[in-house]
Amino acid sequence: MYPSTSPDTGRDPWSDGAPAGPARGYPPAPRTGPADDDGGGGRERKGPRRLRKGGPGRRPDDEAEEAPEEEVPPVPVRRPLALTVAGFAALLGVGLVLGAQTAGPGHRLPFAFIIFGVQLLFVLAWTMAMRPPALLVVALVSAAAAGIADAAAVQSEIAGLAPLGYAAAAGFVLGVLGQLVRRVDRVRVTDSLGSTLLIVVGVVAFATLIVLSRIPKGTQAITVCLTATGVALLVARLTDAVAPRPRLAPQVPRGAAGVVAGAMLGTLTSAVLGSYLVGFTPTSAALVGLVTAGTAVLADLAVGYAEAGRLMAGEPPTMWVARHMQGPLGGFALAAPAAYAMCVLFL
């Protein structure tokens, strides 16, 4: 006998071709997974979101479009100013080279006075341009350190750089102490340590030329190195006046062509001088000229970047004359110890 079944019950769950129904006597289990394709509203949205009426078509977690950067207009190159700075660099180089010719055994005071005059110009230009706290104190201390370094370079029994190092260290310490005296300057003293150190060390660096004039081949080395430095700075500024391209930075009115041309022509000039001076060859003169000319034009360029950074930071512009004397003076200040090092190490 077969058990009686209702005709409305449906087919068995193991029958082929029919969906399995729920077990007899139990309610259907709740759905926990994603619905079938023919299910309707529970389907997961996979495609991009459609544009809704009155609202944005993008998802809220999308990144916002970046605003286009504003182009900074390049600083114009003033041709008369570039020519003036080039003339100042040439006069400074001629004065130092001719002053070195007056130096001799027992007659170094005239050259020391010329160096001291250049050091005073350096103190004026760099203190007015960088404006450290207690500006007058830093200027007076730097001038005193320059005088002490010059006297030590002339009067010391052995020509060396140790007395100059002591003078620079003492000047730096006194400059920092002078800034700590006043409370209004004490707040900025940590920010001005670098500028104070640059001013004191730069002004003392000129005294290395006096020491260099006391060693063999020193006067010839001064002639070669400072001539190459003057020619490099002159050519670099003249090139900027004619063709300041390509621009190294929009905020700096200098071109790469001037820097490269200045270093190359300065090296060529030193090589030509080396073929006429005793104790030099064109190769050795070109080597020392390349180092001094390269350091000078890079120091001049770095001064331009520092000035542009101060203006972009919102600092007020400094004295016009001091601001534009800073570059050539910094170039010669860095070329002086470079000339001493090249003369001692390679000549």
Side-chain angles (χ1 to χ4, degrees), residues 78-257:
R78 291 179 286 180
R79 182 173 299 179
L81 177 60
L83 295 176
T84 303
V85 177
F88 173 72
L91 289 177
L92 187 60
V94 170
L96 289 174
V97 170
L98 293 181
Q101 304 303 319
T102 63
H107 298 87
R108 295 186 178 89
L109 283 180
F111 187 40
F113 283 122
I114 294 174
I115 294 295
F116 186 69
V118 176
Q119 288 169 326
L120 292 181
L121 287 177
F122 183 91
V123 171
L124 172 65
W126 279 70
T127 52
M128 293 302 297
M130 305 190 74
R131 290 189 176 276
L135 186 147
L136 183 59
V137 174
V138 174
L140 293 177
V141 169
S142 300
I148 294 173
D150 295 343
V154 173
Q155 299 295 332
S156 60
E157 296 182 0
I158 300 175
L161 299 182
L164 308 186
Y166 298 146
F172 175 69
V173 172
L174 291 177
V176 174
L177 291 178
Q179 296 172 5
L180 291 174
V181 172
R182 299 176 56 190
R183 181 177 299 177
V184 66
D185 298 327
R186 197 181 307 161
V187 179
R188 298 175 50 207
V189 68
T190 55
D191 299 333
S192 66
L193 290 178
S195 59
T196 305
L197 182 64
L198 280 176
I199 294 171
V200 175
V201 172
V203 76
V204 173
F206 281 100
T208 58
L209 296 175
I210 303 175
V211 180
L212 186 57
S213 65
R214 296 181 55 184
I215 64 177
K217 300 181 182 179
T219 303
Q220 291 88 342
I222 293 174
T223 302
V224 171
C225 294
L226 295 189
T227 302
T229 301
V231 170
L233 294 175
L234 174 66
V235 172
R237 292 290 184 166
L238 290 178
T239 307
D240 290 335
V242 177
R245 291 184 295 270
R247 293 290 292 269
L248 295 172
Q251 298 83 7
V252 182
R254 302 294 305 274

